[in-house]
Amino acid sequence: MSATLVHPRPDSPHPYPRIPRVQTLVYQTLLANRYLGSRIIPLIAVAAVALCVGLVIIVVSVMSGFLDMLLNSGRTLMGDVIIRYADPGIPHYDLLIEEIESRPEALAATPVVESFGLLKLPYGNRTEGVQVWGIDPASFDQVVDFQDSLVWKEAPPEVQAFAADMTGLEVPVFEDLPRLDPGADGGDPGVILGVEIDSAAKVRRMDGSYEVKAPAFWMPFRDVEITLIPISTSGALEKPDNRRFDVANEFQSGVYQIDSRRAMIGLDTGQRMLGLEAAPIYDNRLLDETGELKRIGTYPARVQMILVRAADGVSPEGLRDSVNLAYAAFAAKINDEDTMTIRPPDQAFVGIRTWREQLRDLIGPVEKERELMRILFSIVYLVCAGLVLSIFWSIVHEKTRDIGILRAIGASRPGVLGVFLAYGLVIGLVGAFLGALLGWSVVVNINGIHEAMGEPAPDWTWMTAFALAAVMLAIAIHAAIRGGMLRTLLSIVGGLVLAGVGTALVLHSGFLMWDPAVYYFNSIPNQVDWSSAILTMAGAIVFSVLGAAIPAAKAADTDPVKALRYE
Amino acid sequence: MNPSHDQSSSDATREPVLAASGLRKTYRMGRVPVQVLKDASIEVRSGEWVAILGASGSGKSTLLHLLGGLDRPDRDGGMIHFEGRRVSEFGGAELNTYRNRSVGFVFQFYHLLPELSVLENAMLPCLVPNRWLSATLPLLAAVIGGGVGAAVGSTFGVEILPTADPPTPSKIALLAVTCGVLGAAIGVVLFQLGQVVAERTRLRHGPQAAISRNTLEEFGLGHRLRHRPSQLSGGERQRTAIARALASEPGVLMADEPTGNLDATTGREILDLLKKRHDAGLTIVMVTHDSAVAEYADRIVRLEDGRVVESPA
C-alpha cells in the first residue's frame, strides 16, 4: 500500500452541515465552573484560603493600628521637625525661628527648654523624677495643637459637687490655653502635668475619660514643687532652683511614658530656673564708672529645642531639608555680625530630625514586631499553596480519565493545564475576597467583640448550644439504629463539640484581653490596613495558582492512552 | 456483511481518506519490550466502514489509537496519512487539531464527563477553541486587569497606606504591583464569568447546540438533554458518546468495541445507528473482537501477529 494514494476528502462527504467553531476557551471555563459547583473539596479549599487571608488581615491590621496609634500619640507633642542642641542650648533662637517661619515649607515654630527635675506632689510626701519642658503656650499650640491635649475643659461633676460641699473651695476655670509664666502682678507660675503623673486621684474609664475618685486630691486644686538643676555654660552643675507651681491643667499625649513623666512649665520660668535666660556679660578685668564690673554685652537667652510644624502638603523630610538650609542661613547671618559675640553652635552638632527619626527608639521595636508578625503569618501562604496542591493532586488523580477524554477530543496540553489553573485561580480569588470580607468584619467590629467577651455569655447562647447538641445526639442515635457508621460518628462529634461550646459559654464569666485600666489605650484599632490586605489577597491568589500549577502540569502531561485505560 | 457493502465495493475506486503503512509499536512491560504492532498497514477509503477484528491483546486498540492520533508509532515505525497529510509527522498542536476536527472517537466504556449534561458532552469537541484566540483573550484580560489594578494602586495607594507607613516610592510601587496582580486575577475571572454568561446562551441556543441537539434527538435522546451521564442507561450513554464523536463532523469515526459493554439488543441498536450514519456517507473504522459485530462493516480486516490481514470476503 502506498501513502501517495491518499487524497483529500471530497468537499461534502455526508449531508450534515459544517459546525462553526467556538473562539474561546469554553471548555476550561465550563469544567472549572462545574468542578467548583459539584464538589465539596473545592469549597473546603475556598474556606481554608479565606480563613488564612482573614487571619493575616486581622493580625496585621490590629498591629498596624497599634503602631499608628503609638506614632500619632508620640507625634502629638513633637511637631514635624525637631531642632535639638542640649546644654548650653541654641542662642538667638528667635532669629532662627524667624528664619524658619519665613520659609514656605514651615507653618510655625516654637522654642522649648528641657531638663530633668524633681516634682514634689502635694500629698503622701511623693517626689517623682520628671522631664520638665518650658514652653510658650501660644506658639506651642500652633505647632502641636496643645489645646487638644488638655484633659480638663471644665471641672467634672464629682469635683463640682465636692467643691460645693467644701465652703470656700473654688472650682478652677479652665482657659483654652493657660498662661504658665507669672504676669507682672507676680504670683506662682503655672504647670501642666502629664495626666498619669497623679494616678491616685482618678481612674481611667473604658472610653478613655477620667473619673475623679478623690476630688480633694484632684490636681487642678493643688500646687506642686519643681526642682531643677541648672548647668553652667562650662557644663558644671549649679545650685538647684526650687519653685512652687499652681497646677493649671493636665495633658494627655497618649504615650504612657510621656504622660507619666512630663511636666510643662512656662518658657521664661524654665529658662530662669535653668540659667538659660538672657544675661549680661561682664569683663572681670575692667570696671565701669560706678566701680562695678564692666558690662560688655548680653548673653542671649537659649533653648535646647525648637519644634517646627510643616505647611500643608509638605512632608516632614521636605521640612527637615528646608530647616537645615534655614539653620545654615541663620548661622551665616549671626557669624557675619561682629556685634554678636555669642555664635550659634556648628550645624554639624545640632540635631535636625523629623519626628519619625526622633521617635525611632519607640517606633523601631513595634515596626520590627509588625514585620515579624507579617513574615510569620505569611507562612499561611504556604498553607494555602500546600492545601490547594494536595486537594488538586487528588482531583487530578480522580479526573485522570476525564483528562484523557479531553485530550482525545483535541484539547491541548496548555488547555488541560488551563482547566486546573483556572480552577486554582477561582479558588484563590474567591477565598481571598471572602477572607478580606471576614477580616474586615472582624476588624471593624473588634471592639464590640472584645466588649462582648468581657461580659458573661447571654443565657440564650448556651441554651441554643445545648439544644443543638441534644438534636445531634438524637440524630446519632437514629443513625446508629439505622446502621450508618459515618453519620453516627459525625453526629456524635458534632454533638460533643456543641456541648463543649455550651459548657464553655456557661463557664465564661467575662474576660477583657485589654483592660483600659491596665493598658494605655481606649480601644483596639479597628481600621483595616488595606495595603497589607491587598498584599495578602494577591499573595493568596498567587500561591493558590502555584499550588494548582503542579497538579495541573501533571494533568497536562497525562498520556491520553493510559488515561483512557484508567477505569 | 453490511448490505451497503456492494455499493461500497462498487466504489472501490474511491480514494483512501486514511492510510497507514508499516506501523510498528512497542510497549514496555517492566524491562521487557513487547512489540504489539509489526509492520501493520491499512487503507480506509472515504465512506467506507472497515472493521478490525482480532483477539484480545492483539493490538487492535493500539492500531486505532495510532490512526486517531492518540498515540505515536515507534521511531521510524511507519507512516500514517490522512487526506494527503502525514499524521505521523504532525507536531503536538497539529495532532490536537487532527483529533479535534478530523477524527471522532467512540470508546467501549463511553468515557463521558460526569459533570456535564448530555447536551454538553455531545458538544464538547466543538468547545475546544481556536488556539490563537484561546491563549490571547485571557492573557489580554489579565493584562487589562493588571494595568487597571496597577493604575488604581499607584493613584490611590497613598490613601490606603496607614500613617505608620510613609508613602515612599518603593511602597507605592509594591502596592501598584500587588494591585496589578489582583487586577489581573480579577480580569481573568471576570473574563471567565463573561464567558460563562455568553456561552450559556451559545450552549443553549447557538449553532453547535442546535446541531448536537438534532443529533441527540435523532438518536432518541431528545428528552435527556439536561440529564447527567449517571442518569442514563448504557445504550443511552453510548449514543451520547457517538453524538459527541460526530459533533465536529469528523472525516473518520474511530469506534473501539462500541458494543463491548452493552447487551446484544442495545448493541444492535448502536450498530444500526452507526449504519444509518454510514449510509449517509460517514467513514468508520471499528475495532471489535466480535465477528457478528464486524459483519456490519463493508470490509473486515484481521489483526494477527501484529499485522493487518485482509479477511476473505
Side-chain angles (χ1 to χ4, degrees):
Chain A
M1 191 184 302
S2 167
T4 53
L5 293 174
V6 178
H7 291 287
R9 181 163 45 129
D11 285 338
S12 182
H14 49 82
Y16 294 99
R18 186 161 278 280
I19 301 169
R21 313 299 307 176
V22 294
Q23 299 300 308
T24 52
L25 64 164
V26 179
Y27 76 98
Q28 282 107 324
T29 306
L30 187 68
L31 282 175
N33 192 24
R34 289 297 160 79
Y35 286 169
L36 273 172
S38 63
R39 308 171 65 79
I40 192 79
I41 291 181
L43 299 181
I44 294 172
V46 167
V49 172
L51 278 176
C52 291
V53 170
L55 181 71
V56 176
I57 289 177
I58 293 166
V59 170
V60 175
S61 291
V62 172
M63 287 291 288
S64 288
F66 276 130
L67 186 58
D68 253 11
M69 205 183 260
L70 181 70
L71 287 174
N72 288 330
S73 303
R75 190 185 186 181
T76 307
L77 299 178
M78 300 216 78
D80 294 307
V81 165
I82 299 97
I83 307 170
R84 189 185 181 92
Y85 184 71
D87 290 320
I90 306 166
H92 313 297
Y93 61 86
D94 45 345
L95 294 176
L96 176 57
I97 288 174
E98 206 174 283
E99 179 68 40
I100 290 169
E101 287 183 339
S102 70
R103 299 192 171 250
E105 292 84 3
L107 191 68
T110 186
V112 175
V113 293
E114 180 192 41
S115 180
F116 286 95
L118 293 172
L119 173 75
K120 186 162 188 278
L121 291 167
Y123 53 83
N125 274 335
R126 274 178 63 199
T127 301
E128 305 265 351
V130 290
Q131 184 191 41
V132 179
W133 272 24
I135 59 165
D136 165 39
S139 62
F140 192 65
D141 182 55
Q142 283 182 332
V143 174
V144 302
D145 294 327
F146 189 46
Q147 267 191 52
D148 299 341
S149 303
L150 297 178
V151 175
W152 307 111
K153 310 298 175 196
E154 61 176 17
E158 57 269 25
V159 168
Q160 293 192 21
F162 171 75
D165 290 344
M166 301 288 289
T167 314
L169 188 61
E170 221 174 283
V171 178
V173 175
F174 294 99
E175 301 166 53
D176 289 343
L177 266 180
R179 201 164 51 83
L180 298 175
D181 287 319
D185 54 341
D188 286 342
V191 63
I192 301 173
L193 299 177
V195 72
E196 291 292 325
I197 289 178
D198 160 46
S199 52
K202 52 192 180 295
V203 173
R204 198 165 59 248
R205 295 196 190 97
M206 288 285 284
D207 64 354
S209 64
Y210 285 87
E211 182 185 351
V212 180
K213 287 281 187 194
F217 295 123
W218 186 55
M219 274 295 160
F221 278 142
R222 316 298 295 252
D223 48 9
V224 294
E225 272 180 40
I226 292 176
T227 306
L228 294 179
I229 304 173
I231 299 172
S232 72
T233 49
S234 62
L237 292 178
E238 296 191 348
K239 189 182 168 197
D241 190 341
N242 175 284
R243 295 190 191 193
R244 180 167 288 274
F245 289 82
D246 288 334
V247 178
N249 208 326
E250 290 176 295
F251 73 86
Q252 184 177 31
S253 70
V255 177
Y256 185 79
Q257 287 83 344
I258 292 174
D259 293 347
S260 62
R261 284 282 177 273
R262 188 178 291 173
M264 306 282 196
I265 62 174
L267 180 67
D268 283 352
T269 311
Q271 284 176 322
R272 282 175 206 288
M273 290 179 77
L274 292 167
L276 296 171
E277 78 277 31
I281 305 173
Y282 298 100
D283 188 333
N284 54 13
R285 294 164 301 180
L286 299 172
L287 296 176
D288 63 9
E289 52 276 11
T290 61
E292 298 287 321
L293 285 174
K294 185 173 183 188
R295 178 173 178 161
I296 56 170
T298 302
Y299 203 102
R302 288 152 287 142
V303 293
Q304 289 108 335
M305 283 195 294
I306 294 171
L307 312 183
V308 191
R309 181 175 194 157
D312 284 347
V314 177
S315 70
E317 289 74 21
L319 179 64
R320 179 192 57 202
D321 296 343
S322 175
V323 168
N324 265 310
L325 294 174
Y327 191 91
F330 153 75
K333 195 189 288 178
I334 301 288
N335 292 336
D336 289 348
E337 296 264 356
D338 290 340
T339 54
M340 302 267 189
T341 52
I342 305 299
R343 311 283 186 207
D346 190 286
Q347 191 164 354
F349 302 113
V350 178
I352 299 177
R353 300 192 185 97
T354 63
W355 65 273
R356 185 180 289 278
E357 290 164 348
Q358 190 72 20
L359 284 176
R360 64 173 179 269
D361 291 350
L362 192 64
I363 302 168
V366 183
E367 265 183 345
K368 289 280 175 290
E369 276 172 30
R370 186 181 62 161
E371 290 313 311
L372 189 66
M373 292 295 268
R374 197 176 267 167
I375 291 165
L376 286 177
F377 276 91
S378 295
I379 291 171
V380 299
Y381 294 145
L382 299 181
V383 175
C384 284
L387 199 80
V388 171
L389 191 146
S390 59
I391 287 174
F392 274 47
W393 194 269
S394 74
I395 289 174
V396 165
H397 183 71
E398 192 184 323
K399 292 290 171 196
T400 302
R401 198 200 58 172
D402 289 15
I403 294 162
I405 297 166
L406 289 173
R407 300 279 286 127
I409 61 159
S412 61
R413 285 175 198 275
V416 171
L417 187 83
V419 172
F420 292 94
L421 286 185
Y423 197 2
L425 179 66
V426 170
I427 284 181
L429 193 73
V430 174
F433 273 90
L434 287 179
L437 189 67
L438 172 76
W440 173 79
S441 313
V442 172
V443 172
V444 165
N445 296 303
I446 197 159
N447 287 298
I449 295 168
H450 186 233
E451 279 170 31
M453 279 169 63
E455 302 290 329
D459 289 346
W460 66 266
T461 54
W462 60 262
M463 282 177 170
T464 308
F466 282 126
L468 289 174
V471 170
M472 294 300 278
L473 189 63
I475 292 172
I477 293 168
H478 181 256
I481 294 168
R482 300 279 296 264
M485 281 305 292
L486 183 63
R487 209 169 157 204
T488 309
L489 188 71
L490 288 177
S491 306
I492 288 174
V493 170
L496 286 175
V497 169
L498 284 166
V501 169
T503 309
L505 288 171
V506 169
L507 295 176
H508 179 68
S509 57
F511 166 67
L512 271 185
M513 199 171 289
W514 289 292
D515 186 347
V518 179
Y519 294 93
Y520 200 60
F521 52 83
N522 309 326
S523 59
I524 304 167
N526 64 348
Q527 296 294 313
V528 174
D529 177 355
W530 284 113
S531 58
S532 292
I534 289 172
L535 192 66
T536 309
M537 289 165 73
I541 292 168
V542 168
F543 277 85
S544 296
V545 173
L546 285 180
I550 294 170
K554 178 177 180 269
D557 283 344
T558 303
D559 178 353
V561 173
K562 285 182 186 164
L564 290 170
R565 284 201 191 116
Y566 179 86
E567 192 58 42
Chain B
M1 193 84 67
N2 192 335
S4 65
H5 178 66
D6 294 342
Q7 186 202 337
S8 298
S9 301
S10 68
D11 290 342
T13 52
R14 272 190 192 179
E15 300 300 343
V17 65
L18 181 65
S21 58
L23 288 184
R24 288 191 299 280
K25 181 68 183 175
T26 307
Y27 289 114
R28 288 200 162 271
M29 306 288 280
R31 289 185 177 180
V32 184
V34 178
Q35 193 170 30
V36 181
L37 296 178
K38 305 165 186 169
D39 195 24
S41 300
I42 189 170
E43 195 174 85
V44 181
R45 293 176 187 283
S46 177
E48 191 181 23
W49 184 342
V50 177
I52 302 171
L53 200 59
S56 288
S58 59
K60 309 184 293 291
S61 295
T62 301
L63 178 59
L64 199 73
H65 291 157
L66 293 181
L67 293 175
L70 268 179
D71 207 350
R72 289 180 188 271
D74 292 343
R75 186 185 291 263
D76 301 324
M79 281 192 292
I80 301 166
H81 283 78
F82 178 80
E83 295 182 344
R85 291 177 298 149
R86 292 171 77 162
V87 176
S88 42
E89 290 180 4
F90 278 176
E94 282 176 299
L95 211 55
N96 292 335
T97 309
Y98 172 68
R99 287 201 298 264
N100 181 235
R101 301 188 181 187
S102 303
V103 296
F105 279 100
V106 176
F107 302 99
Q108 179 180 357
F109 295 106
Y110 330 124
H111 289 331
L112 301 174
L113 297 187
E115 276 85 5
L116 302 187
S117 70
V118 166
L119 179 60
E120 287 162 349
N121 263 295
M123 291 172 64
L124 200 55
C126 298
L127 304 181
V128 175
N130 176 305
R131 285 177 52 243
W132 181 81
L133 273 173
S134 72
T136 307
L137 285 180
L139 273 181
L140 196 65
V143 168
I144 293 172
V148 171
V152 169
S154 54
T155 310
F156 300 106
V158 183
E159 314 281 330
I160 60 169
L161 276 175
T163 55
D165 290 324
T168 58
S170 60
K171 281 182 181 162
I172 299 291
L174 176 66
L175 209 54
V177 170
T178 312
C179 288
V181 169
L182 211 54
I186 293 171
V188 172
V189 171
L190 281 183
F191 171 73
Q192 288 184 325
L193 282 177
Q195 273 198 333
V196 169
V197 174
E199 299 305 338
R200 180 168 289 183
T201 312
R202 198 175 347 175
L203 286 173
R204 286 182 186 163
H205 308 295
Q208 298 99 345
I211 291 164
S212 290
R213 190 180 289 116
N214 286 343
T215 308
L216 289 167
E217 279 170 2
E218 183 189 328
F219 290 180
L221 292 169
H223 61 299
R224 296 287 214 173
L225 297 182
R226 293 193 175 194
H227 288 201
R228 294 289 170 94
S230 59
Q231 296 168 301
L232 305 181
S233 68
E236 287 173 324
R237 289 183 202 186
Q238 195 59 299
R239 278 181 275 163
T240 307
I242 295 170
R244 179 181 65 194
L246 296 175
S248 59
E249 195 208 7
V252 180
L253 182 80
M254 308 270 178
D256 188 357
E257 301 275 13
T259 59
N261 206 31
L262 302 171
D263 60 64
T265 311
T266 315
R268 269 197 302 279
E269 285 172 11
I270 294 296
L271 290 166
D272 288 342
L273 199 143
L274 288 177
K275 178 176 174 299
K276 193 174 162 193
R277 284 292 176 137
H278 170 61
D279 290 345
L282 180 65
T283 307
I284 301 174
V285 179
M286 179 177 74
V287 157
T288 182
H289 66 279
D290 187 340
S291 52
V293 170
E295 283 299 309
Y296 275 77
D298 301 331
R299 181 159 64 94
I300 300 172
V301 295
R302 289 179 182 280
L303 198 58
E304 290 174 0
D305 193 26
R307 292 180 179 81
V308 176
V309 181
E310 287 290 335
S311 188

